[in-house]
Amino acid sequence: MSVNLEQAAHAFNNIFAELSPVCRLLKVAEYFSSEVVFTTSFGIEDQMITHLIATEKLPFRIVTLDTGRFFPETYTLWQHTEEKYSLRIKAYYPNEQALETLIADQGINGFYYSPQMRKNCCAVRKVEPLNRALKNAAAWITGLRRGQSEKRKNLDSIILDKKCALLKINPLYDFTRDQIITFTGTHGVPVNILHAAGFLSIGCAPCTRSIRPGEDERAGRWWWETGSAKECGLHIRADKNSDTAVLQHRIADA
């Protein structure tokens, strides 16, 4: 049955506020008959979502975008997560030729030189692999929250993502970090040990530092940049006037 994406997004946003995160995920599993993809970067939000998916045995595909520049602690957590929940997290890697071209052009750490060079790196290491990970997916689950930064304070539970041609679902959109810490502690969910050292938002090792008192959770990401949005390109919404025909086709069987 064909689904009107805008109507679906509106319907989900109307009911999600009254549901717990696990019930939100259950509702997604009930609604979509085609593929749903959850992308994890192994942050505390993503670990909570992985726990819910695994314990409820939900039919979602869990993937990660391995940039090749993760902290060693992140790779250790990846291993522990797979072992605890008896699952395999599928990794998507940068295109080899594109990565070689990027490094030949910018150098191994060229992202420090300008915001555009940093975005070039993110495009190769994250955005292009994400496009492959979401191919043929009807919905995309993320760990985005309103409290993560000023830019995300008006985040909706469901976003009509025209850039990726699907619905982006944020089951923890209205949760605080303290609520997630309580949940992961109570349920024995493995989390990155770097969180305890002040790394609240963890990305690539060269691009992440611990935050200082009073800073928002994402202040440690690309900290050397000034006057630019703290985003890598994965969660930039497409223009509202973009063509929706492709979107309708992508989830026609949902």
Side-chain angles (χ1 to χ4, degrees), residues 11 13 48 110 136 143:
N13 276 316
M48 176 175 170
N136 299 322

Side-chain angles (χ1 to χ4, degrees), residues 50 54 57 79-89:
T50 296
K57 301 186 185 326
Q79 175 190 351
H80 290 168
T81 301
E82 290 191 332
E83 292 172 347
K84 178 177 178 62
Y85 297 109
S86 299
L87 53 76
R88 186 69 71 215
I89 297 170

Side-chain angles (χ1 to χ4, degrees), residues 43-44 46-52 54-55 77 80-86 179-192:
I44 194 167
D46 294 337
Q47 290 300 101
M48 176 175 170
I49 293 172
T50 296
H51 173 87
L52 294 174
T55 54
L77 178 61
H80 290 168
T81 301
E82 290 191 332
E83 292 172 347
K84 178 177 178 62
Y85 297 109
S86 299
Q179 286 177 300
I180 295 171
I181 289 172
T182 297
F183 181 94
T184 55
T186 300
H187 295 275
V189 179
V191 299
N192 200 317

Side-chain angles (χ1 to χ4, degrees), residues 29-145:
E30 174 187 325
Y31 186 82
F32 289 99
S33 60
S34 48
E35 187 171 59
V36 175
V37 174
F38 167 49
T39 53
T40 176
S41 60
F42 304 99
I44 194 167
E45 298 89 355
D46 294 337
Q47 290 300 101
M48 176 175 170
I49 293 172
T50 296
H51 173 87
L52 294 174
I53 291 173
T55 54
E56 294 295 328
K57 301 186 185 326
L58 298 177
F60 305 152
R61 187 159 59 92
I62 305 177
V63 309
T64 191
L65 310 176
D66 185 357
T67 64
R69 304 300 297 268
F70 285 172
F71 285 94
E73 292 86 349
T74 302
Y75 288 109
T76 298
L77 178 61
W78 181 347
Q79 175 190 351
H80 290 168
T81 301
E82 290 191 332
E83 292 172 347
K84 178 177 178 62
Y85 297 109
S86 299
L87 53 76
R88 186 69 71 215
I89 297 170
K90 179 174 175 56
Y92 284 82
Y93 295 93
N95 175 273
E96 180 180 3
Q97 183 175 352
L99 185 58
E100 289 178 355
T101 300
L102 174 78
I103 295 174
D105 180 48
Q106 298 190 173
I108 189 63
N109 289 331
F111 42 80
Y112 289 132
Y113 298 146
S114 74
Q116 186 56 55
M117 292 174 77
R118 191 269 293 172
K119 291 174 184 177
N120 293 342
C121 187
C122 289
V124 169
R125 293 183 185 271
K126 294 184 177 182
V127 178
E128 190 279 331
L130 175 71
N131 291 338
R132 283 186 276 121
L134 295 179
K135 185 177 181 179
N136 299 322
W140 171 22
I141 297 173
T142 85
L144 297 182
R145 292 188 296 106

Side-chain angles (χ1 to χ4, degrees), residues 190-235:
V191 299
N192 200 317
I193 63 172
L194 290 173
H195 290 319
F199 291 79
L200 301 194
S201 178
I202 302 172
C204 293
C207 301
T208 308
R209 65 158 172 82
S210 60
I211 68 167
R212 304 184 181 102
E215 290 182 326
D216 70 41
E217 294 182 27
R218 291 180 58 80
R221 305 290 292 276
W222 311 294
W223 71 93
W224 63 90
E225 294 183 10
T226 57
S228 62
K230 299 287 187 176
E231 298 289 349
C232 61
L234 298 183
H235 300 295

